[in-house]
Amino acid sequence: MPSARDRLRIEPRQDRSTHAEPTFGPASFQGRCNIVMTKTVESLLDDICLLGDEQYALVTSVRKLIKTLIPNVSEDVKYGGILFSSGVQFCGVFAYKQHVSLEFSCGASIIDPHGCLEGSGKGRRHIKLHSAQSIKEKNLAHYLPLAWEAAKNRGQ
């Protein structure tokens, strides 16, 4: 497994302003670059294992279901979770201590006949998963294609 040092990427600063900056790291790097932590899906899954076997199993089961239902899916690690795209970003999986959350970018526009979507914001909705049974109980196989279609139709 790569160490945290292996996952660091140093990028040139885009902002060349002259405001005072806090002093971090070696003097040769001060104010000239940003250090960005990059994480792979595999390293995030290693971290999720630390939360517990149930969370790890839920995340891997949801990943498998998404890859089965949606064509040409790509994954990206952002915001502490795994974001899924197929032409457009449509959902993300986030592991927490007590549950796993499946977040839908355009969830508010999804018809919810099963009453499983949670949230009341303008756009996003989520489904909380507490066990492997909740994947079927909360009809994820029904909601995932709807979330993908809603995301594709967002700009229309």
Side-chain angles (χ1 to χ4, degrees):
M1 172 169 64
S3 68
R5 180 176 293 254
D6 295 332
R7 294 189 308 258
L8 287 177
R9 183 176 77 237
I10 299 176
E11 297 180 338
R13 281 190 65 105
Q14 300 299 320
D15 178 333
R16 300 270 186 218
S17 64
T18 58
H19 66 279
E21 296 189 29
T23 303
F24 297 109
S28 62
F29 283 119
Q30 289 177 6
R32 293 191 306 162
C33 63
N34 294 325
I35 298 178
V36 179
M37 186 74 159
T38 59
K39 199 167 204 118
T40 64
V41 172
E42 291 76 26
S43 64
L44 180 62
L45 290 172
D46 290 340
D47 291 347
I48 291 170
C49 279
L50 300 174
L51 289 173
D53 293 338
E54 186 84 44
Q55 283 82 355
Y56 178 80
L58 281 170
V59 170
T60 55
S61 295
V62 170
R63 286 179 70 216
K64 183 177 178 181
L65 183 62
I66 291 169
K67 291 176 181 182
T68 301
L69 295 173
I70 309 297
N72 304 315
V73 171
S74 62
E75 300 174 303
D76 193 21
V77 175
K78 283 188 181 175
Y79 316 116
I82 304 169
L83 300 183
F84 297 89
S85 302
S86 181
V88 63
Q89 182 180 310
F90 64 96
C91 74
V93 177
F94 300 86
Y96 299 96
K97 195 172 188 176
Q98 300 297 321
H99 68 280
V100 169
S101 183
L102 181 62
E103 309 275 339
F104 299 117
S105 305
C106 299
S109 61
I110 297 173
I111 296 172
D112 187 15
H114 305 290
C116 295
L117 295 176
E118 298 181 45
S120 59
K122 279 173 81 172
R124 300 180 65 82
R125 295 289 182 272
H126 64 275
I127 296 176
K128 287 183 183 174
L129 306 170
H130 296 279
S131 68
Q133 292 173 315
S134 58
I135 291 173
K136 288 190 184 216
E137 290 171 356
K138 297 202 176 184
N139 301 295
L140 289 194
H142 171 79
Y143 288 102
L144 288 166
L146 295 177
W148 182 45
E149 285 300 321
K152 288 192 305 186
N153 296 329
R154 175 184 3 202
Q156 297 176 358

